[in-house]
Amino acid sequence: MNKITIAVIGCGTIANSAHIPAYMANEDAEIKYFCDIVKDRADDAVAKYECGQAIEDYNQILNDPEVDAVSICTPNDVHASIAIDCLRAGKHVLCEKPAARTYAEALEMQKVQHETGKTLNIGVVNRYNESVNRIRKMIQNGDLGELYHVYASFRSHRSIPGLGGAFTTKAIAGGGALIDWGVHFLDVVMYCTGDPKPKTVSGQAYCKLGKDMENYTFLKMWAGPPKYDGTYDVDDFVTALVRTEGPTISLNGAWAQNIGAEEMFIDFLGDKGGIRLKYGADFTFYTTEDGALIETTPKFNLGSMFQNEIDGFIRCIQTGEKQPSHIDTVILSSQIIQAIYDSSDQGAEVSLQPVAQNSL
Amino acid sequence: MNKITIAVIGCGTIANSAHIPAYMANEDAEIKYFCDIVKDRADDAVAKYECGQAIEDYNQILNDPEVDAVSICTPNDVHASIAIDCLRAGKHVLCEKPAARTYAEALEMQKVQHETGKTLNIGVVNRYNESVNRIRKMIQNGDLGELYHVYASFRSHRSIPGLGGAFTTKAIAGGGALIDWGVHFLDVVMYCTGDPKPKTVSGQAYCKLGKDMENYTFLKMWAGPPKYDGTYDVDDFVTALVRTEGPTISLNGAWAQNIGAEEMFIDFLGDKGGIRLKYGADFTFYTTEDGALIETTPKFNLGSMFQNEIDGFIRCIQTGEKQPSHIDTVILSSQIIQAIYDSSDQGAEVSLQPVAQNSL
Amino acid sequence: MNKITIAVIGCGTIANSAHIPAYMANEDAEIKYFCDIVKDRADDAVAKYECGQAIEDYNQILNDPEVDAVSICTPNDVHASIAIDCLRAGKHVLCEKPAARTYAEALEMQKVQHETGKTLNIGVVNRYNESVNRIRKMIQNGDLGELYHVYASFRSHRSIPGLGGAFTTKAIAGGGALIDWGVHFLDVVMYCTGDPKPKTVSGQAYCKLGKDMENYTFLKMWAGPPKYDGTYDVDDFVTALVRTEGPTISLNGAWAQNIGAEEMFIDFLGDKGGIRLKYGADFTFYTTEDGALIETTPKFNLGSMFQNEIDGFIRCIQTGEKQPSHIDTVILSSQIIQAIYDSSDQGAEVSLQPVAQNSL
Amino acid sequence: MNKITIAVIGCGTIANSAHIPAYMANEDAEIKYFCDIVKDRADDAVAKYECGQAIEDYNQILNDPEVDAVSICTPNDVHASIAIDCLRAGKHVLCEKPAARTYAEALEMQKVQHETGKTLNIGVVNRYNESVNRIRKMIQNGDLGELYHVYASFRSHRSIPGLGGAFTTKAIAGGGALIDWGVHFLDVVMYCTGDPKPKTVSGQAYCKLGKDMENYTFLKMWAGPPKYDGTYDVDDFVTALVRTEGPTISLNGAWAQNIGAEEMFIDFLGDKGGIRLKYGADFTFYTTEDGALIETTPKFNLGSMFQNEIDGFIRCIQTGEKQPSHIDTVILSSQIIQAIYDSSDQGAEVSLQPVAQNSL
């Protein structure tokens, strides 16, 4: 079989730490282009991985019929436009999360995917995590009984990424802790609970600890170092309550907060059993048996989520199969995130239910 | 000075574990009556404490001019009526929390207190807790900077009290985990943050783990043993999001849940510092200094909240001073609790702001 | 069947919190005497439990043929002499832990028990704990494979009992943290691991935090309040390493230390599985299965160890059965404790193995 | 100033993760040789770092007068011989920890350093850790009062490195968990407590969980993958008790154990204060003040220990200064480790005190 020819658009942190190494390790994939508007980053990738060609303008990719597929690892503001351009140019697309800055953009991406029929997967990489998949099966099997509530906590002491850069500029990223981390947590919730439709969303997002950039104290920084002359206008704390057709969902999230406990977990509460998933790691299952309360924590090799994601993307292209990271699967969480931001702006709950038809 | 003559109405768990021993230890107080509709309980108290007189009907107290003050330790359903009767009969009243089953009842109690001018304190005993008072002062002093969010977690694995009895019967208790535990947590939040007026309340309450009473697994039970032929129709899990004129408040609470971690704490999030109060115990203060993140946990002798509460009540009677547990101080939390239950019934957020005037 | 007639000698904290209530709840037992050299304490017990007779001199018990059995709840210094007197007077004896201040005293007690044939149980109450018994069975069943090491940690931040009183006076108590707490931990270890004979013992005991009594900071105190004019000359920290015919045992123990973590647990390390027993509570079993690491924590109702202990003692008397708390079962741990103190005095390891016979 | 010319001998995990990147980042250092008996590893380094020359035989380094200094990153068995050869050839040496497999080898290395006067630093990298240095100063300042005991816990669930390879072959590594991890923990203890001379050492080392290599379950492996046809004859668990002229030291260490808690810390117990150092991270200081117990945890940027170590080595060469990682500073911990293994072999405590002189 011919190798799938790949172009990587955006050669920053996530490309180098995840996408590119995974393509390099996939025997069916071959990277032809490293594209970045900062040419040095593209050049560095060519040097480091000893393959491909460094370019600045992704139109060159659109026009090259040899390219089968692209990974979009750019800031969020151009996810939608590049993905749409690529799909229309006949390329398969794997686009980093969040799909887009807004729900409207995500819907547009979905529409073009449906029109073109090309693959459009989103980087909801937890769907390739063994813990997450075991939990999903347990819920489907009824091991938890009726699932009535899920609490997602993504609270870190000091983890603002790239202070002053693309991550913390609303016009580019679309948001902060909620859209960057919350998107993963909500995705796990929706994936495991069977995509229940949201009905009401109330939330509040705060831009606090990073705002006074000079005085933001931290020990290390992802996608750093800080750009103190940049912009910081996104949420570093968010809280929300979501009613769905299934369980209610509450969440508290912080890129940074003046509380030292790192609480990165999702609690699934059922009337027969419950599960706490430690994000990115193992989980504990709580149940009862013969009058005793039982806690069980299996720890297993989680493998590499990113490798699984890339391998899955390549298989999509080869076989046409639909992966759990298909754009269709992230529309609801995109809608919820949008609604949290909207609710925060309005200071009131947002209803997502269709207006009742007049019965006349 | 003459001793203050006390009647204790309701001789169950809270009377025996808190009120009566504290009166016994206060040199200015003397218990004249132990009243309980279950006469045996009143008799037991007389025998145990070797003082007072056992009675069944609290009207005898109303009619005895020697009685200065009463402690109401009954189930919640008769808090309001007994408190009002006592106030109108010229007695000072210390009423256990929650003030009442509903916001309407609480308002009625407040009204009668204002009319009669007699003391009406509510058993919001954390206001007599040294940790809570230190936190309140730190917030007032600005040690936390701007306080933007408070998260209250009162989640226990298996702590339903008196399954099948007054605690779990809505008609009597008014509710479950929220009204029984949440009332304490919300009270601490309101007390420490300066009683910010609530604006919107969205919440959902669930009656799940105790519903199948026979199969509710537990290791020990407060106010037990279970009455398996009784009623269980109250919330054992609750989640809510409250916007106020000050910080937003989110909460998750469980008398029982299929998650084993006991998470009983309140997080106060400020932009300069933060505090985690471990409920009933010490707290940790998080701040920054010279580029370092600093966590400090002072552990001190908390004294007895209940003794302080009773001593404060006696002083109110003697001096006319207003204690922080005055009925006026719990009206806002009563309103919030009511709104959470209302929101849960309606499946939508409740607005507590005055309706905008029509401008014509 | 006639009731067993009991005398309680020593009416302090452990008598009131454990022995007496358990006798009161046992239908086959009846307390005839409360004996204490501080007459008030005996009087208080008579008043509180509404039975028995208060006496000061235990000889009265020895001379009363109606008394079947005694509970010895005195300070450690008179355990041996009273127990021996009682046995020789034909009484069955339940003696609080430690059996005695020294190994020599314990051996003497055992000798007299063997001579008289009367029951002599020691208050090693963990042998009546459900968690401990489950662990013992799992080890016997081979669930842990070969057990090679046990680590016992009984380290508390601030828990010196009765500062300045009997607990902290070496002439009375025989020692401090090691003899008071360590005796329980070593007893659990020996009981669960099949009483392996000790071969070498190296240990060091320190008298540090309580020595400057006035400046010892604490939040609460068992068997308090402090007697600042009393004596403090016992160990508040101890460390030891013991080789046995079975697993090695290491331990660190502190009644008080300048480390805030409360670490009260015993780790049983086997080559197939391991167990951490949280002292007085549940345990976690660690094993492997199909390439995964599995942790399981069952939580069950532990019942009342003290009730089980007293009920067991009554059954011994009625049926002649030998309980796991028989004096024979605590001789090895008594020997180890003695050897730790001896090693500490000598600053060197003590060998407990018989000197090799000269083969000539 | 001319650059210092470096040769790296041994191009495995520690060279690539620590030494080489730190040399690359030091402006005064230049790597001329990458030496490895597996030529591919040397070639890979040349390719990766784009400098230097790949060689197999370190004699080439000895004979090249341009080489100023070497880093020895080989398995432990050739530490001593290579270091001695290099010193005698006039090179400065930074040798990875442990200095050697045995105390005798370490003494020989020290002797040659003294003879040649060339720098011989050992990779006790924690001496370049900010937390460790702060603790050392606090102890020197008397903040802990009299330091009487130190407990070192280096216990991991599943962390055997390079199963079946050099790390787990006694003839090569000299030992397992104790010599590989314990050397770091003991070094921190000795460094912070002022190098108290050891007096007695009792210890026991076990080779258990890795012995049945095929069935050793793990989630990830440093210096892996396993070589199932290799050797596993080293300790994966060790316990010891050490008396010194200063505090006693107890330790429990496990590369692997059937207990899931990761407990990597050192507790320093003083009579005025105490410190728990979380290994490789921050520490908590426990003290008392005005009747309260105070815990303080400062979290600061630890910097890169390895960079500091390499920078310090370069400065040694430039200025002749003596670094805290000088071979002289690790002799006592080397002696203790040797004594633990000896004690384990003998099943009895080892005395390290000079035999008392006969006084005639």
Side-chain angles (χ1 to χ4, degrees):
Chain A
M1 195 187 291
N2 282 343
K3 291 204 173 188
I4 307 292
T5 301
I6 303 291
V8 176
I9 305 178
C11 297
T13 314
I14 193 68
N16 278 283
S17 67
H19 289 241
I20 305 175
Y23 284 122
M24 300 299 290
N26 184 302
E27 296 197 346
D28 294 346
E30 190 164 40
I31 300 176
K32 182 166 182 187
Y33 295 109
F34 293 102
C35 176
D36 202 298
I37 53 172
V38 180
K39 184 70 182 334
D40 278 356
R41 287 204 288 233
D43 289 336
D44 286 353
V46 169
K48 183 169 174 192
Y49 301 103
E50 300 178 346
C51 67
Q53 182 182 342
I55 58 173
E56 274 173 276
D57 182 352
Y58 78 93
N59 283 293
Q60 199 169 338
I61 294 162
L62 302 180
N63 297 327
D64 182 343
E66 279 189 6
V67 173
D68 299 302
V70 302
S71 256
I72 302 176
C73 299
T74 64
N76 303 346
D77 56 336
V78 289
H79 279 188
S81 58
I82 298 180
I84 288 169
D85 284 351
C86 290
L87 290 169
R88 292 211 190 281
K91 313 303 184 194
H92 301 282
V93 176
L94 169 59
C95 178
E96 255 310 312
K97 44 59 61 174
R101 287 171 299 179
T102 64
Y103 181 44
E105 284 183 345
L107 286 173
E108 182 65 19
M109 290 165 80
Q110 184 188 34
K111 194 180 125 218
V112 176
Q113 191 281 320
H114 288 186
E115 287 168 12
T116 62
K118 291 290 163 186
T119 295
L120 174 54
N121 287 354
I122 306 300
V124 283
V125 72
N126 291 285
R127 293 175 181 236
Y128 299 94
N129 171 303
E130 171 73 1
S131 289
V132 169
N133 279 293
R134 288 198 191 192
I135 291 170
R136 185 166 182 257
K137 266 177 218 144
M138 290 172 76
I139 291 172
Q140 286 174 345
N141 289 348
D143 295 348
L144 277 64
E146 185 205 338
L147 190 73
Y148 55 96
H149 187 74
V150 182
Y151 173 54
S153 178
F154 46 102
R155 300 173 60 190
S156 181
H157 197 181
R158 300 284 155 157
S159 296
I160 296 174
L163 188 85
F167 275 98
T168 71
T169 304
K170 192 176 173 73
I172 300 175
L178 174 59
I179 209 164
D180 187 45
W181 284 3
V183 70
H184 272 316
F185 281 74
L186 273 169
D187 180 64
V188 171
V189 173
M190 299 305 281
Y191 178 57
C192 290
T193 61
D195 295 312
K197 282 195 189 150
K199 300 197 298 188
T200 67
V201 176
S202 195
Q204 205 66 31
Y206 290 101
C207 176
K208 294 288 174 188
L209 267 68
K211 210 165 51 177
D212 178 6
M213 286 197 275
E214 290 290 347
N215 290 311
Y216 171 68
T217 301
F218 65 96
L219 304 184
K220 54 185 177 180
M221 184 175 285
W222 160 268
K227 295 179 187 162
Y228 289 113
D229 57 348
T231 300
Y232 190 92
D233 62 355
V234 295
D235 48 298
D236 44 36
F237 182 82
V238 63
T239 185
L241 173 57
V242 180
R243 286 182 190 80
T244 76
E245 291 182 348
T248 43
I249 303 164
S250 60
L251 63 85
N252 288 305
W255 263 354
Q257 61 178 359
N258 280 313
I259 294 289
E262 304 282 309
E263 292 169 325
M264 307 291 280
F265 62 81
I266 302 176
D267 282 350
F268 297 89
L269 273 68
D271 61 6
K272 288 209 184 113
I275 287 175
R276 169 164 293 186
L277 169 65
K278 280 150 269 175
Y279 185 77
D282 49 74
F283 65 86
T284 300
F285 176 51
Y286 299 88
T287 186
T288 60
E289 199 179 295
D290 295 336
L293 304 166
I294 312 286
E295 304 180 12
T296 310
T297 305
K299 299 185 177 184
F300 34 82
N301 202 314
L302 293 169
S304 164
M305 299 189 292
F306 285 106
Q307 190 64 54
N308 295 344
E309 175 188 47
I310 294 295
D311 293 350
F313 178 51
I314 298 297
R315 273 202 312 280
C316 280
I317 298 166
Q318 293 171 327
T319 68
E321 75 181 65
K322 188 172 180 177
Q323 286 276 317
S325 57
H326 190 280
I327 180 74
D328 288 350
T329 66
V330 304
I331 289 298
L332 287 182
S333 56
S334 176
Q335 184 186 25
I336 291 172
I337 288 169
Q338 182 70 57
I340 292 173
Y341 284 129
D342 291 348
S343 168
S344 183
D345 289 343
Q346 298 164 23
E349 192 164 83
V350 167
S351 174
L352 299 177
Q353 291 175 297
V355 177
Q357 295 297 320
N358 203 331
S359 57
L360 258 208
Chain B
M1 197 186 287
N2 283 342
K3 291 202 173 189
I4 306 294
T5 301
I6 303 291
V8 175
I9 305 177
C11 298
T13 314
I14 193 68
N16 279 283
S17 67
H19 289 240
I20 305 175
Y23 284 122
M24 300 300 289
N26 184 302
E27 296 198 346
D28 293 346
E30 192 164 38
I31 300 176
K32 182 166 182 186
Y33 294 108
F34 293 102
C35 176
D36 202 297
I37 53 172
V38 180
K39 183 69 182 336
D40 279 356
R41 288 204 287 233
D43 289 336
D44 286 353
V46 169
K48 183 169 173 194
Y49 300 103
E50 300 178 346
C51 68
Q53 184 181 339
I55 60 174
E56 274 174 276
D57 183 353
Y58 77 93
N59 283 294
Q60 197 168 338
I61 294 162
L62 301 180
N63 297 328
D64 182 341
E66 278 188 7
V67 174
D68 299 302
V70 303
S71 257
I72 302 177
C73 299
T74 64
N76 304 345
D77 55 337
V78 289
H79 279 188
S81 58
I82 296 180
I84 287 169
D85 284 349
C86 289
L87 289 170
R88 293 208 191 282
K91 313 303 184 193
H92 301 282
V93 175
L94 170 58
C95 178
E96 255 310 313
K97 44 61 56 177
R101 288 171 299 180
T102 63
Y103 180 45
E105 284 183 345
L107 286 174
E108 182 66 19
M109 290 165 81
Q110 184 189 33
K111 195 179 126 220
V112 176
Q113 190 280 320
H114 288 185
E115 287 168 11
T116 62
K118 293 289 163 187
T119 296
L120 174 55
N121 287 354
I122 305 300
V124 284
V125 72
N126 292 285
R127 293 175 180 236
Y128 299 94
N129 171 302
E130 171 73 0
S131 289
V132 169
N133 279 293
R134 288 197 190 193
I135 291 170
R136 186 165 181 258
K137 267 176 217 147
M138 291 173 74
I139 292 173
Q140 287 174 343
N141 289 347
D143 295 348
L144 278 65
E146 186 205 336
L147 191 73
Y148 54 97
H149 187 74
V150 182
Y151 174 54
S153 177
F154 46 101
R155 300 173 60 189
S156 181
H157 198 180
R158 299 286 155 157
S159 296
I160 296 173
L163 187 85
F167 274 97
T168 71
T169 304
K170 193 177 174 71
I172 299 175
L178 174 59
I179 208 163
D180 186 44
W181 284 3
V183 70
H184 272 316
F185 281 74
L186 273 170
D187 181 64
V188 171
V189 174
M190 299 306 279
Y191 179 57
C192 290
T193 60
D195 295 311
K197 282 194 189 149
K199 300 196 299 185
T200 66
V201 176
S202 195
Q204 206 66 30
Y206 290 101
C207 175
K208 294 288 174 187
L209 267 68
K211 209 165 51 176
D212 178 5
M213 287 198 275
E214 291 289 347
N215 290 311
Y216 171 68
T217 300
F218 64 97
L219 305 186
K220 55 185 177 181
M221 183 174 286
W222 160 269
K227 295 180 187 162
Y228 289 112
D229 58 348
T231 300
Y232 190 92
D233 62 356
V234 294
D235 47 298
D236 44 37
F237 181 82
V238 63
T239 184
L241 173 57
V242 180
R243 285 181 190 82
T244 75
E245 292 183 345
T248 43
I249 303 163
S250 59
L251 64 84
N252 288 305
W255 264 352
Q257 61 179 358
N258 280 314
I259 294 289
E262 303 282 310
E263 291 169 325
M264 307 290 281
F265 63 81
I266 302 176
D267 282 350
F268 297 89
L269 273 68
D271 60 5
K272 288 208 184 113
I275 287 175
R276 170 164 292 186
L277 169 65
K278 281 150 266 172
Y279 186 77
D282 48 75
F283 65 87
T284 300
F285 176 51
Y286 300 87
T287 186
T288 61
E289 199 178 293
D290 294 337
L293 303 166
I294 312 287
E295 303 181 12
T296 309
T297 305
K299 299 186 177 183
F300 35 82
N301 201 313
L302 292 168
S304 164
M305 299 189 294
F306 284 107
Q307 191 65 54
N308 295 344
E309 176 188 49
I310 294 295
D311 294 349
F313 179 50
I314 297 297
R315 271 201 314 282
C316 280
I317 298 168
Q318 292 171 329
T319 68
E321 74 180 70
K322 188 171 180 177
Q323 286 277 316
S325 58
H326 190 281
I327 179 74
D328 287 351
T329 66
V330 304
I331 289 298
L332 288 183
S333 57
S334 176
Q335 185 186 23
I336 293 172
I337 289 168
Q338 182 70 58
I340 292 173
Y341 283 130
D342 291 348
S343 169
S344 183
D345 289 345
Q346 297 164 23
E349 192 165 84
V350 167
S351 175
L352 299 178
Q353 291 174 297
V355 175
Q357 296 298 321
N358 201 334
S359 58
L360 257 207
Chain C
M1 195 188 288
N2 282 343
K3 290 203 173 190
I4 306 293
T5 300
I6 302 291
V8 176
I9 305 178
C11 297
T13 314
I14 193 69
N16 279 283
S17 68
H19 289 241
I20 305 175
Y23 283 123
M24 300 299 291
N26 184 302
E27 296 198 346
D28 294 347
E30 189 162 41
I31 300 176
K32 180 165 183 188
Y33 295 108
F34 292 102
C35 176
D36 202 297
I37 53 172
V38 180
K39 185 68 182 335
D40 278 356
R41 287 204 287 234
D43 289 336
D44 286 353
V46 169
K48 183 169 175 193
Y49 301 102
E50 299 178 346
C51 68
Q53 182 183 340
I55 60 173
E56 274 174 275
D57 182 354
Y58 78 92
N59 283 293
Q60 199 169 337
I61 294 162
L62 301 180
N63 296 327
D64 182 343
E66 277 189 5
V67 174
D68 298 303
V70 302
S71 256
I72 302 177
C73 299
T74 65
N76 303 346
D77 56 336
V78 290
H79 279 189
S81 58
I82 297 179
I84 287 169
D85 284 350
C86 290
L87 290 170
R88 291 210 192 283
K91 314 302 184 195
H92 301 281
V93 176
L94 170 59
C95 178
E96 253 311 311
K97 45 59 59 176
R101 287 171 301 180
T102 64
Y103 181 45
E105 284 183 346
L107 286 173
E108 183 66 19
M109 289 164 79
Q110 183 188 35
K111 196 180 124 216
V112 176
Q113 190 280 321
H114 289 187
E115 287 168 11
T116 61
K118 293 290 163 186
T119 296
L120 174 54
N121 288 354
I122 306 300
V124 284
V125 72
N126 291 286
R127 293 175 180 235
Y128 298 94
N129 170 302
E130 172 73 359
S131 288
V132 169
N133 279 294
R134 288 197 191 192
I135 291 171
R136 186 166 181 257
K137 267 176 218 146
M138 290 173 75
I139 291 173
Q140 286 174 345
N141 289 349
D143 295 347
L144 277 65
E146 186 204 338
L147 190 72
Y148 56 97
H149 187 73
V150 183
Y151 173 54
S153 178
F154 45 102
R155 299 173 62 189
S156 181
H157 197 182
R158 300 285 155 156
S159 295
I160 296 174
L163 187 86
F167 274 98
T168 71
T169 303
K170 192 176 173 71
I172 299 174
L178 174 59
I179 209 164
D180 186 46
W181 284 3
V183 69
H184 273 315
F185 280 74
L186 273 169
D187 181 64
V188 170
V189 173
M190 299 306 280
Y191 178 58
C192 290
T193 62
D195 295 312
K197 282 194 188 150
K199 300 197 300 187
T200 67
V201 176
S202 196
Q204 207 66 31
Y206 290 100
C207 176
K208 293 288 175 189
L209 267 68
K211 209 165 51 177
D212 178 6
M213 286 197 276
E214 290 290 346
N215 291 310
Y216 171 68
T217 301
F218 64 97
L219 304 185
K220 55 186 176 180
M221 183 174 287
W222 159 269
K227 295 179 187 163
Y228 288 113
D229 58 348
T231 300
Y232 190 93
D233 62 354
V234 294
D235 48 297
D236 44 37
F237 181 82
V238 63
T239 184
L241 173 57
V242 181
R243 286 182 190 81
T244 76
E245 291 183 348
T248 43
I249 303 164
S250 59
L251 63 86
N252 288 306
W255 263 353
Q257 62 178 358
N258 280 313
I259 294 289
E262 303 282 309
E263 293 170 325
M264 307 290 281
F265 62 82
I266 302 175
D267 282 350
F268 297 88
L269 274 68
D271 61 4
K272 289 210 184 113
I275 287 175
R276 170 163 293 186
L277 169 65
K278 280 149 268 174
Y279 185 77
D282 48 76
F283 65 86
T284 300
F285 176 51
Y286 300 87
T287 187
T288 61
E289 201 178 294
D290 294 337
L293 304 166
I294 312 286
E295 303 180 14
T296 309
T297 305
K299 299 186 175 181
F300 34 81
N301 201 315
L302 292 167
S304 163
M305 299 188 293
F306 285 106
Q307 191 63 54
N308 295 344
E309 176 188 48
I310 294 294
D311 294 348
F313 178 51
I314 297 298
R315 274 201 312 281
C316 279
I317 297 166
Q318 291 171 329
T319 68
E321 75 181 67
K322 189 172 180 177
Q323 285 276 316
S325 57
H326 190 279
I327 180 73
D328 288 351
T329 66
V330 304
I331 290 297
L332 287 182
S333 56
S334 175
Q335 185 186 24
I336 291 171
I337 288 169
Q338 182 71 58
I340 292 172
Y341 283 130
D342 291 349
S343 168
S344 183
D345 290 343
Q346 297 164 24
E349 191 164 84
V350 168
S351 174
L352 299 178
Q353 291 175 297
V355 177
Q357 295 299 319
N358 202 332
S359 58
L360 257 208
Chain D
M1 195 186 289
N2 283 343
K3 291 203 174 189
I4 307 293
T5 301
I6 303 293
V8 176
I9 304 178
C11 298
T13 314
I14 192 70
N16 278 284
S17 67
H19 290 240
I20 304 174
Y23 283 122
M24 300 299 290
N26 184 302
E27 297 198 345
D28 293 346
E30 192 163 40
I31 300 176
K32 181 166 183 186
Y33 294 109
F34 293 101
C35 175
D36 202 298
I37 54 172
V38 180
K39 184 67 185 334
D40 279 355
R41 287 204 287 233
D43 289 337
D44 287 352
V46 169
K48 183 168 173 193
Y49 302 102
E50 300 178 346
C51 68
Q53 182 181 342
I55 61 174
E56 274 174 275
D57 182 353
Y58 78 94
N59 283 293
Q60 198 168 339
I61 294 162
L62 302 179
N63 297 326
D64 182 343
E66 278 189 6
V67 173
D68 299 302
V70 303
S71 257
I72 303 177
C73 299
T74 64
N76 304 345
D77 56 336
V78 289
H79 279 188
S81 59
I82 296 179
I84 288 168
D85 285 349
C86 289
L87 290 169
R88 292 207 192 284
K91 313 302 185 195
H92 301 281
V93 175
L94 169 59
C95 177
E96 253 311 312
K97 44 60 56 176
R101 287 171 300 181
T102 63
Y103 180 46
E105 284 183 346
L107 286 173
E108 182 66 18
M109 290 165 80
Q110 182 188 35
K111 195 178 126 221
V112 176
Q113 190 280 321
H114 288 186
E115 287 168 12
T116 62
K118 292 290 163 187
T119 295
L120 173 54
N121 288 353
I122 306 300
V124 284
V125 72
N126 291 285
R127 292 173 181 236
Y128 298 94
N129 170 302
E130 171 73 0
S131 288
V132 169
N133 279 294
R134 288 198 190 191
I135 291 171
R136 186 165 180 258
K137 269 177 217 145
M138 290 173 75
I139 292 173
Q140 286 174 344
N141 290 347
D143 296 347
L144 279 65
E146 187 204 337
L147 191 73
Y148 55 98
H149 187 73
V150 183
Y151 174 54
S153 178
F154 46 101
R155 300 173 61 190
S156 181
H157 198 181
R158 299 287 154 156
S159 296
I160 296 173
L163 188 85
F167 275 98
T168 71
T169 303
K170 192 176 174 71
I172 299 174
L178 174 59
I179 208 162
D180 186 45
W181 284 2
V183 70
H184 273 315
F185 281 75
L186 274 169
D187 180 65
V188 171
V189 174
M190 299 306 278
Y191 178 58
C192 290
T193 61
D195 295 312
K197 283 194 188 149
K199 300 197 300 188
T200 68
V201 176
S202 195
Q204 207 66 31
Y206 290 101
C207 176
K208 293 289 174 187
L209 267 67
K211 209 165 51 177
D212 178 6
M213 287 197 276
E214 291 289 347
N215 290 311
Y216 171 68
T217 301
F218 64 96
L219 305 186
K220 55 186 176 180
M221 183 174 287
W222 160 268
K227 296 180 187 162
Y228 289 113
D229 58 348
T231 300
Y232 189 94
D233 62 355
V234 294
D235 47 297
D236 44 37
F237 181 82
V238 63
T239 184
L241 174 57
V242 181
R243 286 181 191 82
T244 75
E245 292 183 346
T248 44
I249 303 163
S250 60
L251 64 84
N252 288 305
W255 264 353
Q257 60 179 358
N258 280 314
I259 295 289
E262 302 283 309
E263 292 169 325
M264 308 290 281
F265 62 81
I266 301 176
D267 282 350
F268 297 88
L269 273 69
D271 60 6
K272 288 207 183 114
I275 288 175
R276 170 163 293 186
L277 169 65
K278 280 150 268 174
Y279 186 77
D282 48 74
F283 65 86
T284 299
F285 176 50
Y286 299 88
T287 187
T288 60
E289 201 178 294
D290 295 337
L293 304 166
I294 313 286
E295 303 181 13
T296 309
T297 305
K299 300 186 176 181
F300 34 82
N301 202 313
L302 292 168
S304 164
M305 299 189 292
F306 285 107
Q307 191 65 53
N308 295 344
E309 176 188 48
I310 294 294
D311 293 349
F313 179 51
I314 297 297
R315 273 201 312 282
C316 279
I317 298 167
Q318 292 171 328
T319 69
E321 74 179 70
K322 189 172 179 176
Q323 286 276 317
S325 58
H326 189 281
I327 178 75
D328 287 351
T329 66
V330 304
I331 289 297
L332 288 182
S333 57
S334 176
Q335 185 185 24
I336 292 172
I337 288 168
Q338 182 70 57
I340 292 172
Y341 284 129
D342 291 348
S343 168
S344 182
D345 289 344
Q346 297 164 24
E349 191 164 84
V350 168
S351 174
L352 299 178
Q353 292 175 297
V355 176
Q357 294 298 319
N358 202 331
S359 59
L360 257 207

